[in-house]
Amino acid sequence: MKQPQIGVYGLGTMGSALALNMAEKGVSVAVANRSPDKVPAFLDEAGDLAARISGQDSLEALIGALPPPRLLLVMIPSTAPMDAFLDEVIPQLAPGDTVIDAGNADFHDTRRRAARLAEHDLYFVGLGVSGGEDGARHGPSMMMGGSPESWDRLHPILEAIAARYDGTPCVARLGPDGAGHFVKTVHNGIEYADMQMLAEVYDLMRFGAGRTPVQIADAMARWNEGPLRSYLTEITARVLRYDDEATGQPMVDMIADSAGQKGTGRWTVIEAVRLGQSATMIEGAVAARAWSAEKPLRQRAEAAFGGARREIGIDEERLERAMLAARVLEYAQGFRILAQASEDFAWGLDPARIAEIWRAGCIIRADMLDDIAAAFRDGPPEGQLLLSPRFANALEQGIPELRALVGQAVAAGFALPVLSAALTWFDTMRQGRGTASVIQAQRDFLGRHGFERVDRDGGGYHGPWWE
Ligand SMILES: NC(=O)c1ccc[n+]([C@@H]2O[C@H](COP(=O)([O-])OP(=O)(O)OC[C@H]3O[C@@H](n4cnc5c(N)ncnc54)[C@H](OP(=O)(O)O)[C@@H]3O)[C@@H](O)[C@H]2O)c1
């Protein structure tokens, strides 16, 4: 076997899949795991690919097997275990070595860890990996944050294992230290919003329009042939077709309605607010998951007030146009957070490149991302997707449908945290003069904060209430 080009530490779901992907693409790889008994089992599972994999029974042995300067990819929880891992590994590494955290890390941790390793002349790369187990095994989308030197060494391996869109690998160095993990976090935030939007549409069709899960699956599959085509549209259509073997009921009816979350959606919202931004569709989706977990409260409240959902009419073509507009707004909000972070952290993020590497391999891959990449390459007015001529038609046609849908659904007692947030955001942004003059008057009255006037320069004006 050739000398290993890279080490993979952590043979859980994702680490195993990435190591197999590397071996399949001709990369020779050394592997190890905290519990060493997983290594022989992994090599068995690797079959013929094991010829390019060297199994090691400890971290020390793994480091010893790698030629310096080493590339060591770590796929373990990116929380406290990663810090403990760094405590253990730093004394064993040599200047010029690179540690790659390929887990879902909070980008603040990545920045801190990059600074820590730099003190030892080591490189630290924050690599966002999207696509789940299947993506990691056959081609993920990867968002790299780290030094240009690390990228020079890593990109041949990453480009070999990445998903491809029209032959172009879906991986890029997006900026230094935490840039890759931040972009991955916002990716997941958009994922939350899109999943919740599809769940709201399901709810309206099922309990408003009386469609069966299979009929809804048919509609989603049809939408998936057009501009709404995306991985999430496709899998929603697929899961709705299944029946539960034990009861014969639709599978979706047998699944408890309390959603899990691991934190990336929440991080997106927290960071958006910290950056002075807001992404209300992602907030709506995170809130919906939190409320879903409060099952006993919801049951008590239903008993007290009665459930509200009543019949509504659904036209699938109109609904498709409404969803398309909502999806444009969902991406527009996500990219605004990225733009603000790029400015605050001086990352120089390229939104077009981000859209390009999201076109394949990742969970939010969607046909629309090709148009989004093109829109950012054109340079939309104010840098805003919302104003891009490429989406003018989708918004012009979709907003009236979204308005009709939300209006009708709210009147019929449906809760639409994401679809209604989309409309509210759009209506706020399209209003040249908004409501903040009242807020400024209130602030001046209660705290003498002062305001600017529309007819004069400067600030610090006060209202007549102070005379
Ligand atoms: N699953 C996904 O779809 C997905 C997608 C993108 C990113 N990620 C991220 O990828 C990372 C790994 O996820 P996974 O799904 O592969 O997890 P997993 O299947 O649960 O595997 C966890 C791995 O981490 C190791 N580990 C746990 N605690 C450790 C510690 N304190 N010190 C050293 N090793 C430790 C485990 O070793 P043992 O065998 O000894 O327990 C195992 O190899 C996470 O950061 C996750 O957020 C996951």
Side-chain angles (χ1 to χ4, degrees):
M1 187 188 141
K2 282 201 307 187
Q3 264 198 328
Q5 294 159 264
I6 187 166
V8 173
Y9 184 78
L11 291 177
T13 309
M14 295 294 284
S16 302
L18 277 180
L20 291 175
N21 186 353
M22 288 176 190
E24 192 169 71
K25 303 293 158 29
V27 177
S28 54
V29 49
V31 299
N33 192 60
R34 174 181 64 174
S35 320
D37 52 312
K38 270 202 187 158
V39 176
F42 169 75
L43 292 173
D44 275 354
E45 183 202 333
D48 292 347
L49 295 176
R52 284 197 209 101
I53 304 175
S54 108
Q56 304 294 330
D57 59 8
S58 67
L59 179 59
E60 295 73 23
L62 177 64
I63 291 169
L66 296 171
R70 302 173 180 88
L71 290 176
L72 179 58
L73 185 143
V74 188
M75 208 37 156
I76 66 174
S78 297
T79 45
M82 180 58 70
D83 287 315
F85 173 81
L86 293 177
D87 291 342
E88 192 183 345
V89 82
I90 286 172
Q92 302 182 51
L93 295 176
D97 289 351
T98 303
V99 177
I100 303 128
D101 175 3
N104 276 333
D106 179 333
F107 84 106
H108 291 294
D109 289 335
T110 308
R111 285 164 67 80
R112 175 175 57 75
R113 290 167 183 154
R116 178 178 177 198
L117 265 71
E119 287 171 14
H120 301 270
D121 293 323
L122 300 168
Y123 295 109
F124 189 74
V125 167
L127 185 69
V129 178
S130 178
E133 180 182 4
D134 195 54
R137 177 66 183 85
H138 300 291
S141 165
M142 288 173 287
M143 294 140 258
M144 190 268 199
S147 67
E149 292 86 347
S150 299
W151 175 246
D152 281 349
R153 299 208 46 226
L154 259 179
H155 80 86
I157 298 175
L158 297 183
E159 286 172 357
I161 64 169
R164 296 189 122 64
Y165 183 90
D166 276 352
T168 310
C170 291
V171 58
R173 174 182 179 267
L174 300 173
D177 51 62
H181 276 148
F182 185 81
V183 174
K184 172 67 185 350
T185 298
V186 174
H187 163 287
N188 286 24
I190 296 169
E191 177 183 323
Y192 272 55
D194 206 59
M195 290 170 75
Q196 176 64 25
M197 175 179 81
L198 289 160
E200 289 172 16
V201 167
Y202 161 81
D203 196 45
L204 289 169
M205 294 183 84
R206 180 90 192 268
F207 301 104
R211 310 272 163 90
T212 65
V214 170
Q215 287 170 332
I216 301 169
D218 289 342
M220 295 215 177
R222 251 193 319 279
W223 292 330
N224 202 43
E225 299 295 310
L228 278 173
R229 188 191 348 236
S230 74
Y231 175 67
L232 286 170
T233 311
E234 178 198 325
I235 65 161
T236 311
R238 286 175 62 179
V239 298
L240 291 177
R241 291 194 192 285
Y242 282 84
D243 285 334
D244 174 38
E245 270 184 21
T247 61
Q249 297 299 310
M251 192 64 230
V252 68
D253 288 352
M254 303 311 296
I255 299 175
D257 59 337
S258 295
Q261 52 180 325
K262 287 192 174 163
T264 42
R266 192 165 46 223
W267 291 347
T268 309
V269 171
I270 291 169
E271 289 312 323
V273 173
R274 275 199 186 131
L275 290 162
Q277 278 285 340
S278 95
T280 49
M281 296 176 73
I282 303 173
E283 283 166 25
V286 172
R289 288 205 195 182
W291 296 331
S292 81
E294 292 188 83
K295 180 84 174 169
L297 170 61
R298 289 187 289 114
Q299 285 173 318
R300 291 283 294 264
E302 181 171 347
F305 302 108
R309 292 183 298 202
R310 291 191 305 278
E311 193 181 321
I312 60 166
I314 289 281
D315 176 305
E316 285 175 20
E317 283 179 19
R318 295 182 63 189
L319 183 52
E320 181 182 18
R321 289 196 287 274
M323 288 169 73
L324 198 59
R327 190 174 272 168
V328 172
L329 298 175
E330 183 178 284
Y331 279 106
Q333 288 198 343
F335 275 96
R336 280 159 56 87
I337 307 173
L338 293 175
Q340 193 61 51
S342 180
E343 198 177 314
D344 281 28
F345 296 106
W347 280 338
L349 295 179
D350 175 354
R353 192 76 194 102
I354 293 170
E356 281 168 6
I357 65 170
W358 284 351
R359 288 178 303 184
C362 69
I363 303 293
I364 60 170
R365 61 187 183 260
D367 276 12
M368 185 184 285
L369 279 160
D370 199 36
D371 295 326
I372 292 177
F376 279 121
R377 289 259 175 261
D378 295 344
E382 308 279 329
Q384 301 285 327
L385 215 49
L386 189 67
L387 297 178
S388 166
R390 287 184 188 264
F391 293 109
N393 199 30
L395 291 175
E396 247 162 54
Q397 296 198 357
I399 291 294
E401 303 298 1
L402 184 61
R403 186 177 311 290
L405 180 77
V406 170
Q408 188 193 11
V410 168
F414 284 83
L416 306 173
V418 165
L419 287 169
S420 63
L423 188 62
T424 297
W425 183 59
F426 183 79
D427 283 339
T428 301
M429 299 316 284
R430 70 168 354 178
Q431 205 62 50
R433 182 167 167 85
T435 55
S437 56
V438 178
I439 304 296
Q440 287 297 79
Q442 292 162 334
R443 291 181 68 240
D444 186 57
F445 189 96
L446 64 86
R448 216 184 166 98
H449 291 296
F451 49 73
E452 292 174 7
R453 293 181 56 106
V454 295
D455 57 348
R456 294 180 211 162
D457 290 337
Y461 294 101
H462 295 286
W465 39 83
W466 284 110
E467 281 163 15

